[in-house]
Amino acid sequence: MLRWYQMKLAKSPLLTQSITTAVLFATGDTMAQQLVEKKGLKNHEYARTGRMALYGGAIFGPAATTWFKFLQNKIVLRNKNAEIVARVAADQTIFASTNLFVFLSSMAIMEGSSPQKKLDSTYWNALTKNWMVWPFVQAVNFKFVPLHHRVLVVNVISLGWNCYLSFLNSQG
């Protein structure tokens, strides 16, 4: 399975990472609905899962793939530990805050609600929670994981994070 994934990744990295991201975002939402909210299959909101998959595949997957490549090529320092700190700082101040803004706004638009109300009620809470989890994850990711597998690592860790975001979004 990993060999097949690596072959697809080498042939079409953006498409492969986008599809993987769509599937894992949908999985995170399903986990939120079934394990956290305990909705059961009868009450599962399939449109909500679809919105998460759409966001993951159309926005986050391509954005993260491009972002990690940018960080790899543009933040290059002689001291590799300083390089990792600089990449994590850029990731958390630029990408994380922007992605969270786009996520919450996109979800509100797709739900037919007010992006401003969604942002006002959830953004800072989610961003501070993000800073409790992702700097460590990204430091490990940038230090030990090859560029072409970084989105996959983020996606796997994101199962729990997307479960949280989906739950937070449904509450806001």
Side-chain angles (χ1 to χ4, degrees):
M1 179 79 140
L2 184 59
R3 192 169 302 155
W4 177 85
Y5 179 78
Q6 288 179 321
M7 181 182 72
K8 295 295 184 187
L9 195 55
K11 184 177 178 187
S12 301
L14 191 61
L15 179 62
T16 302
Q17 291 178 344
S18 294
I19 291 170
T20 303
T21 304
V23 168
L24 291 174
F25 265 60
T27 302
D29 175 69
T30 300
M31 289 169 56
Q33 290 193 53
Q34 298 307 318
L35 302 176
V36 177
E37 299 167 46
K38 302 201 184 306
K39 288 184 175 241
L41 293 177
K42 185 178 178 184
N43 295 318
H44 189 92
E45 296 176 46
Y46 293 98
R48 174 176 146 183
T49 302
R51 288 188 297 269
M52 289 292 287
L54 179 63
Y55 181 84
I59 298 174
F60 186 82
T65 301
T66 304
W67 175 248
F68 289 150
K69 188 175 179 182
F70 172 83
L71 289 177
Q72 183 79 14
N73 294 330
K74 299 299 182 188
I75 300 182
V76 180
L77 303 173
R78 289 179 209 219
N79 181 317
K80 293 305 167 188
N81 289 330
E83 180 179 276
I84 291 165
V85 169
R87 287 179 182 173
V88 169
D91 183 66
Q92 291 303 298
T93 57
I94 300 167
F95 188 78
S97 58
T98 302
N99 176 62
L100 189 56
F101 176 89
V102 173
F103 171 78
L104 293 169
S105 299
S106 298
M107 289 298 127
I109 290 166
M110 288 189 277
E111 293 162 356
S113 62
S114 165
Q116 189 62 52
K117 284 183 184 176
K118 178 77 72 176
L119 291 166
D120 289 346
S121 67
T122 59
Y123 181 80
W124 285 109
N125 182 35
L127 188 60
T128 55
K129 296 278 191 302
N130 170 89
W131 289 334
M132 292 178 196
V133 174
W134 288 103
F136 173 74
V137 171
Q138 291 296 56
V140 171
N141 201 16
F142 295 144
K143 175 100 176 157
F144 299 110
V145 179
L147 175 62
H148 60 283
H149 287 303
R150 288 183 187 155
V151 174
L152 179 61
V153 167
V154 166
N155 282 336
V156 170
I157 302 298
S158 285
L159 282 172
W161 179 249
N162 291 338
C163 181
Y164 165 73
L165 280 183
S166 180
F167 176 73
L168 177 75
N169 184 63
S170 73
Q171 304 302 300

